[in-house]
Amino acid sequence: MEITPDAFIYWQHGFARLNATIAMTWLNMVLLVGISALVTLRLTSGEKLGRGQNLLEVVVSNIRQQIGDMGLKPVDEFLPFIGTLFLFILLPNVLAVVPGYRAPTGSLSTTAALSICVFVAVPGWGIRRRGLVGYLKLYVQPSPFMLPFNLMGEFSRTLALAVRLFGNMMSGAMIAGILLSLAPLLFPVLMNILGLITGVIQAYIFAVLAAVYLAAAARVHQGQEEKNQRQQQHDKGGPTHG
Amino acid sequence: MLIDWFTVAAQIVNFLILVYLLKRFLYQPIVRHMNEREEKIANRLQQAAAKRAEAQRQIDEFLHKQEELEQQSVEKLEKAEEEAQKRLQELLEQARRHVENKRHGWLQSLDKEKDEFAHDLKKHSSQKILRCVQRALQDLADEPLNNRLAEVLLARMKKLDHDLRDRLSRAAEAGEIIVRTTCKLDDAMKSKITTALHEFCNKDAEVDYQVDNGQPLGVEVSAGSVKFSWSIAGYLEELEEQVLTLIEEKSREASEPSGEQADPDDNKAPMRTDKE
């Protein structure tokens, strides 16, 4: 029994190969971009909204709300990355109930790819926000003795991200497959429903954790900015109060 | 090996492409339109606030105008009431004058009618009294009185002028002589009269005695178209004429002073007192 869609290879030429993971990802991308483009072609800022626009606005505004709650400002700077993470995982998790569909998130390669993206994005935003030195200083806080633990934490959380999502999705497919052989009538349906819930939750968890990691890198910087701003205001207002 | 590094690389590329495409086709348009809508809503709220302020201002203005109008209407109403009261007083005054004039005219006509009635009453009562006197005399007329009257007639016949005597004689020749009395005469008196008539006419004409209760107290002698008589009717007629003359004079004297009062507009004209 194959537990990963990477094993289904449709085409191979040397190192390069087209497996089910990549093919289904392309399908997901076509669906996401196609639906988005179709809806956004007829966007309106009036009072009457179409159903598609209403749905997309609900999704986007909720993602922005979550990002804002994490303390990431400005929201629209982080929206494409975190929002795409969420949708990239949500759509295959939901489509997993469709017979014959192989969710790319059930592949450790996909989850590893997404984790690597987060692993790169966190220091990327951290360095962009507070510079290379400023970001690197985070690893020696609260004391230089914590450097190995911080580095270990950085890698382990990336690994955890990848394995958590893969494990959940793979286990869902596995359990469905096993139950199908034991009690083929009713249990697989229930497990599929449970899998839907698990898939949506996992998409949410992955996106939120990514946001949290980004926030951890950026929030320090924001806190310092706020401190600097307060200091500046105090310096300006000081003589007048004094 | 669960991880296929080519697939990992491909998925990273796929993910980055998707980030770009969704940013281009999903996030940017949706966020832009949401912001536009929020801006519109904010503008509308602002406009609504401005309109509400304007509406409040107009309401205040309207209330102020309404108060002014109410004030004006109250003033106009008071003025109209005042004018109506004034007009009412004028009309009442006119009506009072009119009624006074009418009353004055009515009193005058009443006085006039009263005077006329009094005049007529006096006249008729005088006439009635005289009729009563006449009737009383007729009722009292008995044979002795008639005889007495006949004697008076005989005495007067002797004093008649010749012209009348001739005319009576000629008339007696043509027919009988009729003697009318109020009541019946006794035979002696009848023969006396017959003798006297025969002497008077120098002929033996036939004398017919008739009783007429309707004629005034007295005696009448007629022959054909010639007639002479004596009765108290002449006295009574003369008396009536004198009484009526006296009443007329009295009435004229009474009406002369009333002509001097004629001033119809004088509301304070005193009531005419009964002249009687």
PDB file of all heavy atoms in Angstrom, chain A residues 182-213:
ATOM      1  N   LEU A 182     -12.049  -3.382   6.634  1.00  0.00           N
ATOM      2  CA  LEU A 182     -12.688  -4.024   7.786  1.00  0.00           C
ATOM      3  C   LEU A 182     -14.215  -3.851   7.740  1.00  0.00           C
ATOM      4  O   LEU A 182     -14.958  -4.821   7.860  1.00  0.00           O
ATOM      5  CB  LEU A 182     -12.143  -3.443   9.094  1.00  0.00           C
ATOM      6  CG  LEU A 182     -10.684  -3.765   9.410  1.00  0.00           C
ATOM      7  CD1 LEU A 182     -10.246  -3.064  10.685  1.00  0.00           C
ATOM      8  CD2 LEU A 182     -10.487  -5.276   9.563  1.00  0.00           C
ATOM      9  N   ALA A 183     -14.671  -2.627   7.618  1.00  0.00           N
ATOM     10  CA  ALA A 183     -16.121  -2.372   7.615  1.00  0.00           C
ATOM     11  C   ALA A 183     -16.418  -1.420   6.454  1.00  0.00           C
ATOM     12  O   ALA A 183     -16.420  -0.209   6.620  1.00  0.00           O
ATOM     13  CB  ALA A 183     -16.536  -1.721   8.944  1.00  0.00           C
ATOM     14  N   PRO A 184     -16.639  -1.994   5.313  1.00  0.00           N
ATOM     15  CA  PRO A 184     -16.663  -1.172   4.102  1.00  0.00           C
ATOM     16  C   PRO A 184     -17.890  -0.278   3.944  1.00  0.00           C
ATOM     17  O   PRO A 184     -17.922   0.579   3.073  1.00  0.00           O
ATOM     18  CB  PRO A 184     -16.608  -2.212   2.984  1.00  0.00           C
ATOM     19  CG  PRO A 184     -17.102  -3.464   3.600  1.00  0.00           C
ATOM     20  CD  PRO A 184     -16.841  -3.403   5.062  1.00  0.00           C
ATOM     21  N   LEU A 185     -18.934  -0.441   4.798  1.00  0.00           N
ATOM     22  CA  LEU A 185     -20.188   0.273   4.497  1.00  0.00           C
ATOM     23  C   LEU A 185     -20.255   1.673   5.113  1.00  0.00           C
ATOM     24  O   LEU A 185     -20.426   2.662   4.415  1.00  0.00           O
ATOM     25  CB  LEU A 185     -21.370  -0.574   4.978  1.00  0.00           C
ATOM     26  CG  LEU A 185     -22.702  -0.201   4.348  1.00  0.00           C
ATOM     27  CD1 LEU A 185     -22.655  -0.318   2.839  1.00  0.00           C
ATOM     28  CD2 LEU A 185     -23.826  -1.048   4.932  1.00  0.00           C
ATOM     29  N   LEU A 186     -20.110   1.764   6.418  1.00  0.00           N
ATOM     30  CA  LEU A 186     -20.445   3.026   7.089  1.00  0.00           C
ATOM     31  C   LEU A 186     -19.227   3.768   7.631  1.00  0.00           C
ATOM     32  O   LEU A 186     -19.141   5.001   7.512  1.00  0.00           O
ATOM     33  CB  LEU A 186     -21.404   2.722   8.248  1.00  0.00           C
ATOM     34  CG  LEU A 186     -22.306   3.878   8.676  1.00  0.00           C
ATOM     35  CD1 LEU A 186     -23.198   4.330   7.530  1.00  0.00           C
ATOM     36  CD2 LEU A 186     -23.163   3.474   9.870  1.00  0.00           C
ATOM     37  N   PHE A 187     -18.292   3.038   8.213  1.00  0.00           N
ATOM     38  CA  PHE A 187     -17.191   3.698   8.905  1.00  0.00           C
ATOM     39  C   PHE A 187     -16.321   4.585   8.011  1.00  0.00           C
ATOM     40  O   PHE A 187     -15.905   5.660   8.442  1.00  0.00           O
ATOM     41  CB  PHE A 187     -16.337   2.657   9.651  1.00  0.00           C
ATOM     42  CG  PHE A 187     -16.896   2.296  10.987  1.00  0.00           C
ATOM     43  CD1 PHE A 187     -17.564   1.100  11.204  1.00  0.00           C
ATOM     44  CD2 PHE A 187     -16.781   3.197  12.046  1.00  0.00           C
ATOM     45  CE1 PHE A 187     -18.097   0.791  12.441  1.00  0.00           C
ATOM     46  CE2 PHE A 187     -17.301   2.880  13.293  1.00  0.00           C
ATOM     47  CZ  PHE A 187     -17.965   1.674  13.489  1.00  0.00           C
ATOM     48  N   PRO A 188     -16.042   4.159   6.794  1.00  0.00           N
ATOM     49  CA  PRO A 188     -15.205   5.028   5.948  1.00  0.00           C
ATOM     50  C   PRO A 188     -15.826   6.409   5.727  1.00  0.00           C
ATOM     51  O   PRO A 188     -15.117   7.412   5.663  1.00  0.00           O
ATOM     52  CB  PRO A 188     -15.115   4.248   4.639  1.00  0.00           C
ATOM     53  CG  PRO A 188     -15.365   2.848   5.001  1.00  0.00           C
ATOM     54  CD  PRO A 188     -16.328   2.885   6.150  1.00  0.00           C
ATOM     55  N   VAL A 189     -17.158   6.439   5.652  1.00  0.00           N
ATOM     56  CA  VAL A 189     -17.839   7.732   5.455  1.00  0.00           C
ATOM     57  C   VAL A 189     -17.601   8.622   6.675  1.00  0.00           C
ATOM     58  O   VAL A 189     -17.244   9.805   6.563  1.00  0.00           O
ATOM     59  CB  VAL A 189     -19.349   7.508   5.220  1.00  0.00           C
ATOM     60  CG1 VAL A 189     -20.050   8.843   5.068  1.00  0.00           C
ATOM     61  CG2 VAL A 189     -19.570   6.646   3.996  1.00  0.00           C
ATOM     62  N   LEU A 190     -17.829   8.032   7.855  1.00  0.00           N
ATOM     63  CA  LEU A 190     -17.611   8.793   9.090  1.00  0.00           C
ATOM     64  C   LEU A 190     -16.169   9.274   9.187  1.00  0.00           C
ATOM     65  O   LEU A 190     -15.901  10.420   9.574  1.00  0.00           O
ATOM     66  CB  LEU A 190     -17.954   7.928  10.311  1.00  0.00           C
ATOM     67  CG  LEU A 190     -19.447   7.586  10.474  1.00  0.00           C
ATOM     68  CD1 LEU A 190     -19.632   6.599  11.625  1.00  0.00           C
ATOM     69  CD2 LEU A 190     -20.236   8.864  10.750  1.00  0.00           C
ATOM     70  N   MET A 191     -15.247   8.371   8.831  1.00  0.00           N
ATOM     71  CA  MET A 191     -13.831   8.746   8.918  1.00  0.00           C
ATOM     72  C   MET A 191     -13.495   9.844   7.920  1.00  0.00           C
ATOM     73  O   MET A 191     -12.661  10.710   8.178  1.00  0.00           O
ATOM     74  CB  MET A 191     -12.944   7.521   8.663  1.00  0.00           C
ATOM     75  CG  MET A 191     -12.960   6.515   9.804  1.00  0.00           C
ATOM     76  SD  MET A 191     -12.764   7.266  11.421  1.00  0.00           S
ATOM     77  CE  MET A 191     -11.123   7.926  11.267  1.00  0.00           C
ATOM     78  N   ASN A 192     -14.172   9.808   6.752  1.00  0.00           N
ATOM     79  CA  ASN A 192     -13.958  10.880   5.775  1.00  0.00           C
ATOM     80  C   ASN A 192     -14.422  12.220   6.319  1.00  0.00           C
ATOM     81  O   ASN A 192     -13.774  13.247   6.142  1.00  0.00           O
ATOM     82  CB  ASN A 192     -14.691  10.551   4.476  1.00  0.00           C
ATOM     83  CG  ASN A 192     -13.792   9.801   3.524  1.00  0.00           C
ATOM     84  OD1 ASN A 192     -12.573   9.811   3.692  1.00  0.00           O
ATOM     85  ND2 ASN A 192     -14.392   9.128   2.550  1.00  0.00           N
ATOM     86  N   ILE A 193     -15.586  12.195   6.991  1.00  0.00           N
ATOM     87  CA  ILE A 193     -16.103  13.434   7.593  1.00  0.00           C
ATOM     88  C   ILE A 193     -15.115  13.942   8.647  1.00  0.00           C
ATOM     89  O   ILE A 193     -14.774  15.129   8.696  1.00  0.00           O
ATOM     90  CB  ILE A 193     -17.501  13.190   8.213  1.00  0.00           C
ATOM     91  CG1 ILE A 193     -18.499  12.855   7.099  1.00  0.00           C
ATOM     92  CG2 ILE A 193     -17.963  14.402   8.993  1.00  0.00           C
ATOM     93  CD1 ILE A 193     -19.829  12.356   7.606  1.00  0.00           C
ATOM     94  N   LEU A 194     -14.635  12.974   9.458  1.00  0.00           N
ATOM     95  CA  LEU A 194     -13.644  13.338  10.468  1.00  0.00           C
ATOM     96  C   LEU A 194     -12.381  13.881   9.804  1.00  0.00           C
ATOM     97  O   LEU A 194     -11.779  14.859  10.262  1.00  0.00           O
ATOM     98  CB  LEU A 194     -13.299  12.100  11.311  1.00  0.00           C
ATOM     99  CG  LEU A 194     -12.526  12.359  12.599  1.00  0.00           C
ATOM    100  CD1 LEU A 194     -13.345  13.191  13.566  1.00  0.00           C
ATOM    101  CD2 LEU A 194     -12.122  11.045  13.254  1.00  0.00           C
ATOM    102  N   GLY A 195     -12.039  13.267   8.679  1.00  0.00           N
ATOM    103  CA  GLY A 195     -10.865  13.718   7.929  1.00  0.00           C
ATOM    104  C   GLY A 195     -11.036  15.135   7.416  1.00  0.00           C
ATOM    105  O   GLY A 195     -10.087  15.919   7.391  1.00  0.00           O
ATOM    106  N   LEU A 196     -12.258  15.470   7.016  1.00  0.00           N
ATOM    107  CA  LEU A 196     -12.536  16.850   6.570  1.00  0.00           C
ATOM    108  C   LEU A 196     -12.237  17.843   7.685  1.00  0.00           C
ATOM    109  O   LEU A 196     -11.550  18.856   7.492  1.00  0.00           O
ATOM    110  CB  LEU A 196     -14.006  16.991   6.174  1.00  0.00           C
ATOM    111  CG  LEU A 196     -14.387  16.704   4.727  1.00  0.00           C
ATOM    112  CD1 LEU A 196     -15.883  16.887   4.545  1.00  0.00           C
ATOM    113  CD2 LEU A 196     -13.635  17.646   3.797  1.00  0.00           C
ATOM    114  N   ILE A 197     -12.761  17.498   8.871  1.00  0.00           N
ATOM    115  CA  ILE A 197     -12.545  18.399  10.019  1.00  0.00           C
ATOM    116  C   ILE A 197     -11.050  18.497  10.323  1.00  0.00           C
ATOM    117  O   ILE A 197     -10.505  19.604  10.490  1.00  0.00           O
ATOM    118  CB  ILE A 197     -13.307  17.866  11.261  1.00  0.00           C
ATOM    119  CG1 ILE A 197     -14.813  17.806  10.952  1.00  0.00           C
ATOM    120  CG2 ILE A 197     -13.054  18.736  12.459  1.00  0.00           C
ATOM    121  CD1 ILE A 197     -15.616  17.055  12.007  1.00  0.00           C
ATOM    122  N   THR A 198     -10.406  17.349  10.340  1.00  0.00           N
ATOM    123  CA  THR A 198      -8.974  17.334  10.634  1.00  0.00           C
ATOM    124  C   THR A 198      -8.202  18.161   9.601  1.00  0.00           C
ATOM    125  O   THR A 198      -7.320  18.955   9.956  1.00  0.00           O
ATOM    126  CB  THR A 198      -8.450  15.885  10.600  1.00  0.00           C
ATOM    127  OG1 THR A 198      -9.327  15.061  11.344  1.00  0.00           O
ATOM    128  CG2 THR A 198      -7.063  15.793  11.153  1.00  0.00           C
ATOM    129  N   GLY A 199      -8.612  17.999   8.336  1.00  0.00           N
ATOM    130  CA  GLY A 199      -7.912  18.721   7.267  1.00  0.00           C
ATOM    131  C   GLY A 199      -8.035  20.217   7.441  1.00  0.00           C
ATOM    132  O   GLY A 199      -7.058  20.978   7.323  1.00  0.00           O
ATOM    133  N   VAL A 200      -9.259  20.692   7.732  1.00  0.00           N
ATOM    134  CA  VAL A 200      -9.469  22.143   7.893  1.00  0.00           C
ATOM    135  C   VAL A 200      -8.669  22.646   9.097  1.00  0.00           C
ATOM    136  O   VAL A 200      -7.996  23.688   9.036  1.00  0.00           O
ATOM    137  CB  VAL A 200     -10.974  22.444   8.056  1.00  0.00           C
ATOM    138  CG1 VAL A 200     -11.172  23.927   8.367  1.00  0.00           C
ATOM    139  CG2 VAL A 200     -11.729  22.063   6.796  1.00  0.00           C
ATOM    140  N   ILE A 201      -8.719  21.853  10.190  1.00  0.00           N
ATOM    141  CA  ILE A 201      -7.989  22.258  11.396  1.00  0.00           C
ATOM    142  C   ILE A 201      -6.484  22.304  11.135  1.00  0.00           C
ATOM    143  O   ILE A 201      -5.795  23.245  11.564  1.00  0.00           O
ATOM    144  CB  ILE A 201      -8.315  21.306  12.570  1.00  0.00           C
ATOM    145  CG1 ILE A 201      -9.773  21.505  12.999  1.00  0.00           C
ATOM    146  CG2 ILE A 201      -7.387  21.537  13.742  1.00  0.00           C
ATOM    147  CD1 ILE A 201     -10.251  20.460  13.976  1.00  0.00           C
ATOM    148  N   GLN A 202      -6.011  21.304  10.388  1.00  0.00           N
ATOM    149  CA  GLN A 202      -4.568  21.269  10.112  1.00  0.00           C
ATOM    150  C   GLN A 202      -4.128  22.456   9.256  1.00  0.00           C
ATOM    151  O   GLN A 202      -3.079  23.050   9.480  1.00  0.00           O
ATOM    152  CB  GLN A 202      -4.191  19.961   9.413  1.00  0.00           C
ATOM    153  CG  GLN A 202      -4.186  18.765  10.346  1.00  0.00           C
ATOM    154  CD  GLN A 202      -3.300  18.982  11.562  1.00  0.00           C
ATOM    155  OE1 GLN A 202      -2.184  19.495  11.454  1.00  0.00           O
ATOM    156  NE2 GLN A 202      -3.791  18.626  12.740  1.00  0.00           N
ATOM    157  N   ALA A 203      -4.981  22.815   8.294  1.00  0.00           N
ATOM    158  CA  ALA A 203      -4.657  23.982   7.468  1.00  0.00           C
ATOM    159  C   ALA A 203      -4.571  25.226   8.344  1.00  0.00           C
ATOM    160  O   ALA A 203      -3.645  26.042   8.222  1.00  0.00           O
ATOM    161  CB  ALA A 203      -5.726  24.162   6.391  1.00  0.00           C
ATOM    162  N   TYR A 204      -5.539  25.333   9.242  1.00  0.00           N
ATOM    163  CA  TYR A 204      -5.563  26.490  10.152  1.00  0.00           C
ATOM    164  C   TYR A 204      -4.323  26.491  11.043  1.00  0.00           C
ATOM    165  O   TYR A 204      -3.652  27.511  11.214  1.00  0.00           O
ATOM    166  CB  TYR A 204      -6.845  26.437  10.988  1.00  0.00           C
ATOM    167  CG  TYR A 204      -6.943  27.510  12.031  1.00  0.00           C
ATOM    168  CD1 TYR A 204      -7.221  28.828  11.661  1.00  0.00           C
ATOM    169  CD2 TYR A 204      -6.762  27.227  13.372  1.00  0.00           C
ATOM    170  CE1 TYR A 204      -7.299  29.815  12.605  1.00  0.00           C
ATOM    171  CE2 TYR A 204      -6.841  28.216  14.328  1.00  0.00           C
ATOM    172  CZ  TYR A 204      -7.118  29.514  13.934  1.00  0.00           C
ATOM    173  OH  TYR A 204      -7.179  30.489  14.882  1.00  0.00           O
ATOM    174  N   ILE A 205      -4.007  25.311  11.590  1.00  0.00           N
ATOM    175  CA  ILE A 205      -2.864  25.217  12.515  1.00  0.00           C
ATOM    176  C   ILE A 205      -1.576  25.588  11.798  1.00  0.00           C
ATOM    177  O   ILE A 205      -0.764  26.384  12.308  1.00  0.00           O
ATOM    178  CB  ILE A 205      -2.763  23.784  13.101  1.00  0.00           C
ATOM    179  CG1 ILE A 205      -3.882  23.576  14.127  1.00  0.00           C
ATOM    180  CG2 ILE A 205      -1.411  23.559  13.743  1.00  0.00           C
ATOM    181  CD1 ILE A 205      -3.965  22.145  14.624  1.00  0.00           C
ATOM    182  N   PHE A 206      -1.404  25.048  10.599  1.00  0.00           N
ATOM    183  CA  PHE A 206      -0.166  25.324   9.865  1.00  0.00           C
ATOM    184  C   PHE A 206      -0.016  26.823   9.610  1.00  0.00           C
ATOM    185  O   PHE A 206       1.035  27.425   9.870  1.00  0.00           O
ATOM    186  CB  PHE A 206      -0.176  24.564   8.530  1.00  0.00           C
ATOM    187  CG  PHE A 206       1.168  24.419   7.904  1.00  0.00           C
ATOM    188  CD1 PHE A 206       1.877  23.222   8.002  1.00  0.00           C
ATOM    189  CD2 PHE A 206       1.769  25.479   7.223  1.00  0.00           C
ATOM    190  CE1 PHE A 206       3.139  23.083   7.436  1.00  0.00           C
ATOM    191  CE2 PHE A 206       3.017  25.355   6.667  1.00  0.00           C
ATOM    192  CZ  PHE A 206       3.712  24.149   6.771  1.00  0.00           C
ATOM    193  N   ALA A 207      -1.117  27.456   9.148  1.00  0.00           N
ATOM    194  CA  ALA A 207      -1.057  28.889   8.814  1.00  0.00           C
ATOM    195  C   ALA A 207      -0.823  29.715  10.070  1.00  0.00           C
ATOM    196  O   ALA A 207      -0.009  30.655  10.079  1.00  0.00           O
ATOM    197  CB  ALA A 207      -2.351  29.310   8.128  1.00  0.00           C
ATOM    198  N   VAL A 208      -1.519  29.318  11.138  1.00  0.00           N
ATOM    199  CA  VAL A 208      -1.387  30.102  12.371  1.00  0.00           C
ATOM    200  C   VAL A 208       0.009  29.957  12.962  1.00  0.00           C
ATOM    201  O   VAL A 208       0.610  30.939  13.438  1.00  0.00           O
ATOM    202  CB  VAL A 208      -2.488  29.684  13.382  1.00  0.00           C
ATOM    203  CG1 VAL A 208      -2.167  30.219  14.769  1.00  0.00           C
ATOM    204  CG2 VAL A 208      -3.827  30.215  12.936  1.00  0.00           C
ATOM    205  N   LEU A 209       0.535  28.736  12.916  1.00  0.00           N
ATOM    206  CA  LEU A 209       1.887  28.543  13.447  1.00  0.00           C
ATOM    207  C   LEU A 209       2.908  29.339  12.643  1.00  0.00           C
ATOM    208  O   LEU A 209       3.808  29.986  13.214  1.00  0.00           O
ATOM    209  CB  LEU A 209       2.250  27.059  13.431  1.00  0.00           C
ATOM    210  CG  LEU A 209       1.658  26.247  14.584  1.00  0.00           C
ATOM    211  CD1 LEU A 209       1.993  24.776  14.409  1.00  0.00           C
ATOM    212  CD2 LEU A 209       2.176  26.752  15.924  1.00  0.00           C
ATOM    213  N   ALA A 210       2.738  29.329  11.317  1.00  0.00           N
ATOM    214  CA  ALA A 210       3.642  30.126  10.479  1.00  0.00           C
ATOM    215  C   ALA A 210       3.560  31.592  10.877  1.00  0.00           C
ATOM    216  O   ALA A 210       4.586  32.289  10.998  1.00  0.00           O
ATOM    217  CB  ALA A 210       3.280  29.941   9.012  1.00  0.00           C
ATOM    218  N   ALA A 211       2.298  32.042  11.107  1.00  0.00           N
ATOM    219  CA  ALA A 211       2.110  33.446  11.506  1.00  0.00           C
ATOM    220  C   ALA A 211       2.783  33.712  12.847  1.00  0.00           C
ATOM    221  O   ALA A 211       3.402  34.766  13.053  1.00  0.00           O
ATOM    222  CB  ALA A 211       0.625  33.761  11.578  1.00  0.00           C
ATOM    223  N   VAL A 212       2.644  32.750  13.745  1.00  0.00           N
ATOM    224  CA  VAL A 212       3.246  32.922  15.070  1.00  0.00           C
ATOM    225  C   VAL A 212       4.775  33.015  14.952  1.00  0.00           C
ATOM    226  O   VAL A 212       5.400  33.890  15.575  1.00  0.00           O
ATOM    227  CB  VAL A 212       2.836  31.759  15.991  1.00  0.00           C
ATOM    228  CG1 VAL A 212       3.670  31.768  17.276  1.00  0.00           C
ATOM    229  CG2 VAL A 212       1.363  31.853  16.342  1.00  0.00           C
ATOM    230  N   TYR A 213       5.371  32.138  14.122  1.00  0.00           N
ATOM    231  CA  TYR A 213       6.831  32.172  13.965  1.00  0.00           C
ATOM    232  C   TYR A 213       7.275  33.491  13.352  1.00  0.00           C
ATOM    233  O   TYR A 213       8.243  34.113  13.788  1.00  0.00           O
ATOM    234  CB  TYR A 213       7.301  31.004  13.086  1.00  0.00           C
ATOM    235  CG  TYR A 213       6.961  29.632  13.655  1.00  0.00           C
ATOM    236  CD1 TYR A 213       6.777  28.541  12.820  1.00  0.00           C
ATOM    237  CD2 TYR A 213       6.838  29.447  15.036  1.00  0.00           C
ATOM    238  CE1 TYR A 213       6.460  27.291  13.334  1.00  0.00           C
ATOM    239  CE2 TYR A 213       6.520  28.203  15.556  1.00  0.00           C
ATOM    240  CZ  TYR A 213       6.326  27.140  14.702  1.00  0.00           C
ATOM    241  OH  TYR A 213       6.005  25.909  15.224  1.00  0.00           O
TER     242      TYR A 213
END
